[in-house]
Amino acid sequence: VSSKPWHSRNRNYKAELASCRLEAVPLECGDYHPLKPITVTESKTKKVSRKGSTSSTSSSSSSSVVDPLSSVLDGSDPLSMFAATSDPAAMATTTDISRKKRDKDDNSIVGSDFEPWANKRGEVLARYTTTEKLSINLFMGSEKGRAGASASAMSEKVRTRLEELDDFEEGSQKELLNLTQQDYVNRIEELNQSLKDAWASDQKVKALKIVIQCSKLLSDTSVIQFYPSKFVLITDILDTFGKLVYERIYSMCVDSRGALPDHFSPENVNDTAKETCLNWFFKIASIRELIPRFYVEASILKCNRFLSKTGISECLPRLTCMIRGIGDPLVSVYARAYLCRVGMEVAPHLKESLNKNFFDFLLTFKQIHGDTVQNQLVAQGVELPSYLPLYSPAMDWIFQCISYHAPEALLTEMMERCKKLGNNALLLNSVMSAFRAEFIAARSMDFIGMIKECDESGFPKHLLFRSLGLNLALADPPENDRLQILNEAWKVITKLKNPQDYINCAEVWVEYTCKHFTKREVNTVLADVIKHMTPDRAFEDSYPQLQSIIKKVIAHFHDFSVLFSVEKFLPFLDMFQKESVRVEVCKYIMETFIKHQQEPTKDPVILNALMHICKTMHDSVNALTLEDEKRMLAHLINGFIKMVSFGRDFEQQLSFYVESRSMFCNLEPVLVQLIHSVNRLAMETRKVMKGNHSRKTAAFVRACVAYCFITIPSLVGIFTRLNLYLHSGQVALANQCLSQADAFFKAAISLIPEVPKMINIDGKLRPSEPFLLEFLCNFFSTLLIVPDHPEHGVLYLVRELLNVIQDYTWEDNSDDKIRIYTCVLHLLSAMSQDTYLYHIDKVDSNDSLYGGDSKFLAENSKLCEAVMAQILEHLKTLAKDEALKRQSLLGLSFFNSILAHGDLRNNKLNQLSVNLWHLAQRHGCGDTRTMVKTLEYIKKQSKQPNMNHLTELALRLPLQTRT
């Protein structure tokens, strides 16, 4: 292959476009349409095995509308079929599935509107903590009874286990002292795990020992502040034990008939399971101490289902009466809470025992203020206001259980009974915490009256108002009472001296204020919060509550012009002095603005406030800021910039972009967004003005162009800069700013040598050449319509670009440089046409400027020949390097370029194409299928007008056969 002169063929773009259009075919109604249901042909194959013969296959097929994914739901998928096979594990699998379904059904007895205990567990553990040292009394029995475990007779085995239990209760005592709270929690978790391990190793008596000794810990109130958390930890162990016992007995009911039905009756339970169940109840009944006996029996309450239909309904009243024997009111109320919890899980319809627990509690309520409790508090140095909240988790739970789906009459009776008791603030708080919000809201003024009458010494009134406020956030009070309710509550709240008490209460009532009143009342509340939280920088200890207030205000004021007209809103934001918290608040405000702002805005109140907020986010960026955080901040700021519009006041719009550039210069995505916005502004200006005020418009467009030209160099990403130079140059060209367009294109060309070999894409290094190839192809498409500068030579931009491409250091095994040269040939061929494929309005491209001048065409041909020489030299180099596959692909690619853009009536170019065809097939590296399709295309094109010379070319292009 040797260098040949280039001759571009003349193109008739309109005729070529017409020939490429698809032929219109009328579509009848019954024909296929892509949106119609898919008809799937389903084939079913059956294999029939015969003795002494191979399997025969019978097949049937049917056409129907079938969802391809539905088969996974009908049990015919491979995994379901495998699970259904009759293997030794099948019965265990069936039992496990039945148990899961049974658990689901049992849990669904109580509706989703009932808040489960699991939701309260974490809050209790977090709230009731202590720094005092704790202790655990472990009653460790000896192991002498284990020798009898191998006895064969059942009676002997039972007697041995009872002896072990007796031995446990009479065994030695081990006390763990001076435990921190975390040590205590770890030890309880170890006991829970020991319980599971003992059960798994069939040491049922050991498991029972662990449960009993854990239950005994609930009688210890030596560190009284920690008691609610201790209750949570110990009852976790009791729950585990109850579940293990129930599942053990249930598994014994599985026989040849399968597992028990979901809603079984005692008649379905076999004698062995019943005997085992009774044995467990007898063991528990033999526990001497009241508290462990009560808790352990309550934990397996559900097992009564195996014995009798009325077992649970009979046990609940008896267990309720047992609690009367517990003298300590705190221990007693938590025992009632546990019984109510178990009762709601297994028999929520049995309301009588729930109500009995409540009314029993009311009868013993006065014990809280008795001498015994007071002496205990003095001994431990605990004040009454710190002691009474310890009852709240248990009382709230009892009240919640009783009030669930309870009739209005019962709730009213309960409220009246509480009202009659003296010092009833604790009860009142639990009523407001547990009863339905609608019930409380409708009687708001009654509750306010009761709160006023409460004694302040025991249970602070602000906690009662907080509980009332939580209800009013969920349900609306009578409209006529709303202002009076706010005034009564705020009278108490604003007098609070302790900032933490104040903010905990104010946080709740802010939502009520936002929900029912105007910005004037909200402003008053915010001003009061600022007044209370600013002295001694009290706000530093209350950032979560202050954040909550901001979120509640914003949630009710989606109109940001109203929000920012609230005088104290921005001063409220100034209390967020900790940078991380301040940035989070700003992010939330911007997210809400972007989500709810429907129309672009130019409101100065909104713009000034949000510019300040965005500036706060921007200034938080430093060298340690993560890339994800930068992207998030940039996204929010860009969302704000997009929503700002001054209509046809283009100068004001540009001024806004200039100010934004100075404020957000450290976030590259924001600068990129600003450049795109300014480019759109320039295009919109020209479109709207339509020639009016042409000088002023031109000056404005030049200002936009200058903005982009100044901003782009400050960007870091090399391809970001290249693409923006190209885009901005295109905008300048579209606005007839020719010298500015040239400046952009020259800047892009001068930047290409700086492109590194590898670039970072999403944290990974990638070769840059594919991205450079894509950019240059786009650049060539623009250079076609860029007119030459009168003071520079012909095609000076193309020449400069070719010099840069020639000097760029390309990868050794890369052909991208040659692919770029091939694209340059396409460009030069298009530039030699009498009329270019596309133009820009009011911009004379080189086809108009030169008008087919022979000197211009001669310069064009010289460039083509220089580029061809580079391509052919590279093809020769590939032959030397034995890169034959690459040589074949590039040869065929160059052949296709000549076919598309060259004038093959020229004998030398015709011969070059034939040589390239042979080169592509040399050494058997050519893709025969591609070659066949290419030859078919040439034969088809030869039938077009003025293309008959391709007929002769096709005869000279043989297809290589492979043997």
Side-chain angles (χ1 to χ4, degrees):
V1 178
S2 60
S3 179
K4 306 290 182 182
W6 175 267
H7 292 267
S8 299
R9 73 181 179 91
N10 293 325
R11 307 284 294 273
N12 185 339
Y13 292 118
K14 289 184 179 180
E16 290 183 28
L17 179 62
S19 67
C20 293
R21 284 201 176 100
L22 295 175
E23 183 181 355
V25 178
L27 184 65
E28 297 180 5
C29 294
D31 288 350
Y32 164 79
H33 189 279
L35 298 182
K36 286 184 177 180
I38 301 173
T39 300
V40 180
T41 301
E42 197 177 21
S43 297
K44 296 180 180 178
T45 303
K46 296 180 181 179
K47 289 187 177 181
V48 184
S49 299
R50 294 183 178 89
K51 188 175 181 180
S53 67
T54 58
S55 299
S56 63
T57 303
S58 63
S59 174
S60 64
S61 64
S62 61
S63 295
S64 61
V65 179
V66 178
D67 177 6
L69 300 179
S70 63
S71 61
V72 301
L73 302 176
D74 62 6
S76 61
D77 63 289
L79 293 179
S80 298
M81 295 171 68
F82 173 76
T85 55
S86 56
D87 58 87
M91 184 169 289
T93 303
T94 304
T95 305
D96 191 50
I97 293 172
S98 298
R99 177 177 58 79
K100 290 180 179 178
K101 184 177 180 182
R102 182 183 73 251
D103 290 345
K104 182 179 179 182
D105 290 341
D106 289 343
N107 291 333
S108 64
I109 293 174
V110 177
S112 59
D113 55 339
F114 183 83
E115 185 181 8
W117 173 258
N119 290 6
K120 300 176 180 292
R121 180 184 180 279
E123 182 184 346
V124 174
L125 290 174
R127 181 178 175 186
Y128 298 97
T129 59
T130 184
T131 56
E132 295 187 30
K133 296 300 181 180
L134 302 164
S135 63
I136 297 180
N137 291 322
L138 299 177
F139 297 86
M140 306 301 293
S142 67
E143 297 296 321
K144 64 182 182 182
R146 296 190 60 80
S150 60
S152 57
M154 178 61 69
S155 58
E156 182 66 23
K157 185 176 182 180
V158 171
R159 184 169 63 254
T160 301
R161 289 190 172 179
L162 288 173
E163 288 174 356
E164 289 179 12
L165 194 57
D166 288 338
D167 173 61
F168 159 68
E169 295 209 346
E170 296 169 0
S172 60
Q173 176 177 335
K174 180 181 179 182
E175 188 172 17
L176 299 178
L177 301 174
N178 297 322
L179 299 177
T180 65
Q181 179 179 318
Q182 189 57 50
D183 292 337
Y184 190 95
V185 172
N186 293 341
R187 179 56 183 155
I188 295 298
E189 290 177 351
E190 289 173 10
L191 289 171
N192 200 355
Q193 187 59 46
S194 298
L195 167 65
K196 295 175 184 177
D197 295 341
W199 193 273
S201 60
D202 202 29
Q203 299 180 53
K204 303 298 188 296
V205 172
K206 182 179 179 181
L208 181 58
K209 288 179 181 181
I210 294 172
V211 175
I212 294 173
Q213 69 176 350
C214 289
S215 301
K216 286 185 177 183
L217 296 176
L218 290 174
S219 61
D220 176 23
T221 59
S222 56
V223 182
I224 205 163
Q225 301 98 317
F226 187 65
Y227 191 85
S229 292
K230 182 198 291 189
F231 171 80
V232 169
L233 296 170
I234 300 301
T235 52
D236 283 348
I237 296 177
L238 289 164
D239 293 342
T240 300
F241 176 73
K243 185 177 180 182
L244 291 172
V245 173
Y246 185 86
E247 290 179 357
R248 164 66 176 159
I249 299 171
Y250 186 89
S251 66
M252 298 175 70
C253 300
V254 179
D255 51 24
S256 58
R257 296 173 295 176
L260 286 176
D262 297 325
H263 301 287
F264 64 87
S265 64
E267 290 75 18
N268 303 123
V269 181
N270 58 45
D271 293 339
T272 303
K274 285 184 177 180
E275 184 179 351
T276 302
C277 185
L278 280 170
N279 187 33
W280 276 110
F281 280 108
F282 290 154
K283 286 178 183 177
I284 294 167
S286 67
I287 300 173
R288 294 190 182 96
E289 295 186 27
L290 173 61
I291 289 178
R293 185 168 73 251
F294 163 79
Y295 273 107
V296 178
E297 182 175 354
S299 70
I300 66 165
L301 179 66
K302 190 177 179 181
C303 294
N304 280 282
R305 292 182 63 194
F306 297 108
L307 301 176
S308 167
K309 290 182 179 181
T310 60
I312 294 175
S313 60
E314 292 170 356
C315 281
L316 279 172
R318 179 171 56 79
L319 291 172
T320 301
C321 292
M322 283 175 65
I323 299 174
R324 296 176 181 175
I326 301 175
D328 191 308
L330 184 65
V331 178
S332 170
V333 76
Y334 276 94
R336 295 188 190 281
Y338 185 69
L339 185 59
C340 289
R341 175 152 74 88
V342 176
M344 285 297 288
E345 289 175 1
V346 300
H349 59 284
L350 298 177
K351 294 287 189 179
E352 291 79 7
S353 61
L354 295 173
N355 299 342
K356 186 64 175 172
N357 268 290
F358 170 71
F359 291 120
D360 275 5
F361 169 71
L362 290 186
L363 291 174
T364 59
F365 181 70
K366 58 184 179 182
Q367 287 182 325
I368 295 175
H369 302 280
D371 292 340
T372 304
V373 171
Q374 296 301 320
N375 294 336
Q376 184 184 21
L377 296 182
V378 170
Q380 294 196 32
V382 177
E383 298 290 336
L384 189 63
S386 300
Y387 172 70
L388 290 180
L390 300 177
Y391 286 81
S392 293
M395 290 174 58
D396 290 352
W397 180 258
I398 294 171
F399 279 49
Q400 177 184 327
C401 294
I402 296 169
S403 63
Y404 181 65
H405 290 178
E408 290 279 321
L410 177 61
L411 298 181
T412 304
E413 180 190 354
M414 292 171 64
M415 192 176 80
E416 291 299 323
R417 291 282 292 271
C418 294
K419 195 173 181 180
K420 291 177 182 177
L421 290 174
N423 296 326
N424 63 350
L426 181 62
L427 287 172
L428 197 57
N429 189 66
S430 292
V431 167
M432 290 189 289
S433 299
F435 281 21
R436 293 190 295 271
E438 293 79 8
F439 179 89
I440 304 297
R443 298 162 177 79
S444 298
M445 292 307 300
D446 292 339
F447 277 96
I448 287 177
M450 287 188 282
I451 292 173
K452 286 182 177 181
E453 295 173 2
C454 287
D455 183 7
E456 182 78 27
S457 62
F459 199 90
K461 286 185 180 180
H462 69 85
L463 293 182
L464 298 176
F465 274 107
R466 185 178 189 277
S467 297
L468 178 61
L470 288 171
N471 283 281
L472 297 182
L474 300 173
D476 299 336
E479 188 171 352
N480 295 334
D481 296 339
R482 290 174 184 175
L483 182 58
Q484 186 179 357
I485 291 170
L486 179 61
N487 289 334
E488 292 290 345
W490 210 260
K491 282 179 189 175
V492 175
I493 297 170
T494 195
K495 291 179 182 177
L496 294 173
K497 303 299 183 185
N498 185 303
Q500 201 62 42
D501 292 342
Y502 171 85
I503 196 64
N504 286 337
C505 210
E507 171 203 356
V508 172
W509 281 89
V510 163
E511 184 165 4
Y512 174 78
T513 309
C514 294
K515 194 174 181 181
H516 298 296
F517 300 97
T518 65
K519 69 176 186 178
R520 185 172 68 88
E521 288 80 10
V522 172
N523 188 65
T524 302
V525 169
L526 293 182
D528 196 61
V529 174
I530 294 171
K531 176 183 173 183
H532 279 78
M533 302 307 294
T534 303
D536 301 325
R537 300 178 68 86
F539 53 77
E540 292 183 341
D541 299 322
S542 306
Y543 284 136
Q545 293 90 334
L546 295 175
Q547 282 179 275
S548 175
I549 290 174
I550 281 287
K551 290 180 179 180
K552 289 171 180 176
V553 172
I554 295 174
H556 289 88
F557 287 90
H558 292 161
D559 186 343
F560 277 72
S561 61
V562 176
L563 176 66
F564 291 129
S565 66
V566 175
E567 183 184 352
K568 295 298 181 181
F569 183 78
L570 291 179
F572 189 92
L573 289 182
D574 291 338
M575 286 196 294
F576 294 99
Q577 297 290 313
K578 187 177 180 181
E579 184 179 71
S580 60
V581 179
R582 185 169 68 250
V583 171
E584 285 302 315
V585 171
C586 291
K587 284 164 63 176
Y588 180 80
I589 294 172
M590 294 310 303
E591 286 169 358
T592 308
F593 174 79
I594 293 170
K595 180 178 180 181
H596 294 287
Q597 185 71 24
Q598 301 297 325
E599 299 292 334
T601 182
K602 61 178 180 180
D603 187 326
V605 174
I606 295 178
L607 297 189
N608 289 334
L610 292 185
M611 285 290 274
H612 170 72
I613 289 169
C614 289
K615 177 68 170 162
T616 300
M617 295 193 300
H618 169 270
D619 292 348
S620 70
V621 175
N622 55 45
L624 300 178
T625 305
L626 298 176
E627 289 301 319
D628 285 346
E629 178 70 7
K630 289 181 182 178
R631 275 194 291 270
M632 170 60 73
L633 296 177
H635 168 73
L636 294 174
I637 296 173
N638 285 341
F640 162 61
I641 290 172
K642 292 175 185 177
M643 292 306 297
V644 176
S645 174
F646 291 89
R648 293 198 175 188
D649 190 348
F650 300 125
E651 292 183 358
Q652 186 67 32
Q653 190 80 37
L654 183 59
S655 297
F656 169 75
Y657 291 145
V658 171
E659 183 182 3
S660 298
R661 179 179 62 187
S662 66
M663 295 182 73
F664 311 129
C665 56
N666 289 333
L667 288 173
E668 183 160 315
V670 177
L671 295 179
V672 172
Q673 174 63 43
L674 287 169
I675 294 170
H676 284 305
S677 298
V678 171
N679 279 327
R680 280 195 296 271
L681 181 63
M683 296 301 295
E684 185 180 354
T685 304
R686 178 67 69 176
K687 179 181 178 182
V688 171
M689 292 305 182
K690 296 180 180 177
N692 297 328
H693 310 291
S694 57
R695 288 187 178 179
K696 185 176 180 180
T697 303
F700 179 80
V701 170
R702 285 196 293 272
C704 292
V705 170
Y707 177 102
C708 297
F709 194 78
I710 293 170
T711 308
I712 293 174
S714 64
L715 304 177
V716 176
I718 186 79
F719 282 102
T720 303
R721 280 183 280 161
L722 284 171
N723 287 310
L724 284 175
Y725 274 133
L726 177 57
H727 181 224
S728 301
Q730 292 167 344
V731 171
L733 199 61
N735 285 279
Q736 298 96 51
C737 299
L738 301 184
S739 60
Q740 287 86 350
D742 274 4
F744 279 115
F745 297 143
K746 286 181 181 178
I749 292 171
S750 64
L751 191 60
I752 291 174
E754 298 180 20
V755 175
K757 294 291 178 289
M758 306 292 286
I759 57 173
N760 191 311
I761 304 292
D762 295 331
K764 296 181 179 180
L765 290 177
R766 307 287 188 191
S768 63
E769 286 190 8
F771 298 95
L772 183 57
L773 176 61
E774 179 185 1
F775 167 76
L776 289 173
C777 289
N778 291 334
F779 198 2
F780 296 149
S781 300
T782 302
L783 289 179
L784 172 63
I785 51 175
V786 177
D788 280 344
H789 196 284
E791 297 179 4
H792 300 287
V794 176
L795 302 178
Y796 77 102
L797 285 176
V798 177
R799 291 177 185 276
E800 287 187 19
L801 186 55
L802 283 173
N803 290 335
V804 169
I805 294 171
Q806 178 65 29
D807 295 338
Y808 187 81
T809 306
W810 300 88
E811 293 291 339
D812 294 337
N813 297 322
S814 170
D815 298 320
D816 284 337
K817 181 179 180 180
I818 303 308
R819 293 189 178 95
I820 291 171
Y821 279 144
T822 305
C823 292
V824 172
L825 273 181
H826 303 166
L827 169 64
L828 294 172
S829 175
M831 283 182 163
S832 68
Q833 303 301 314
D834 294 335
T835 303
Y836 290 171
L837 177 59
Y838 45 85
H839 295 85
I840 289 181
D841 186 35
K842 298 181 181 180
V843 174
D844 293 328
S845 298
N846 286 338
D847 57 344
S848 299
L849 293 178
Y850 292 108
D853 182 76
S854 57
K855 291 183 179 179
F856 172 75
L857 295 177
E859 289 294 326
N860 185 298
S861 295
K862 285 182 182 179
L863 283 176
C864 289
E865 291 172 13
V867 171
M868 284 179 63
Q870 292 286 339
I871 295 173
L872 296 175
E873 182 62 31
H874 184 75
L875 287 173
K876 291 179 182 178
T877 304
L878 291 177
K880 294 176 184 177
D881 296 341
E882 296 186 355
L884 302 179
K885 183 67 175 177
R886 288 167 56 199
Q887 186 189 55
S888 173
L889 292 173
L890 282 178
L892 182 59
S893 173
F894 191 28
F895 171 86
N896 287 330
S897 294
I898 295 174
L899 181 64
H901 300 280
D903 185 359
L904 289 173
R905 289 174 296 189
N906 179 276
N907 291 333
K908 292 183 178 180
L909 199 58
N910 191 299
Q911 183 59 46
L912 174 60
S913 66
V914 173
N915 293 345
L916 289 170
W917 180 267
H918 287 288
L919 180 66
Q921 297 186 96
R922 189 177 300 169
H923 308 295
C925 294
D927 184 350
T928 304
R929 185 177 180 184
T930 303
M931 307 295 284
V932 168
K933 287 187 174 293
T934 304
L935 191 55
E936 289 175 356
Y937 171 77
I938 294 172
K939 292 177 180 179
K940 182 179 179 181
Q941 288 296 105
S942 67
K943 298 176 183 178
Q944 299 291 330
N946 301 321
M947 300 291 282
N948 54 358
H949 59 280
L950 293 180
T951 304
E952 180 186 351
L953 175 65
L955 297 174
R956 300 175 63 195
L957 302 177
L959 288 172
Q960 188 181 54
T961 57
R962 297 183 180 180
T963 57

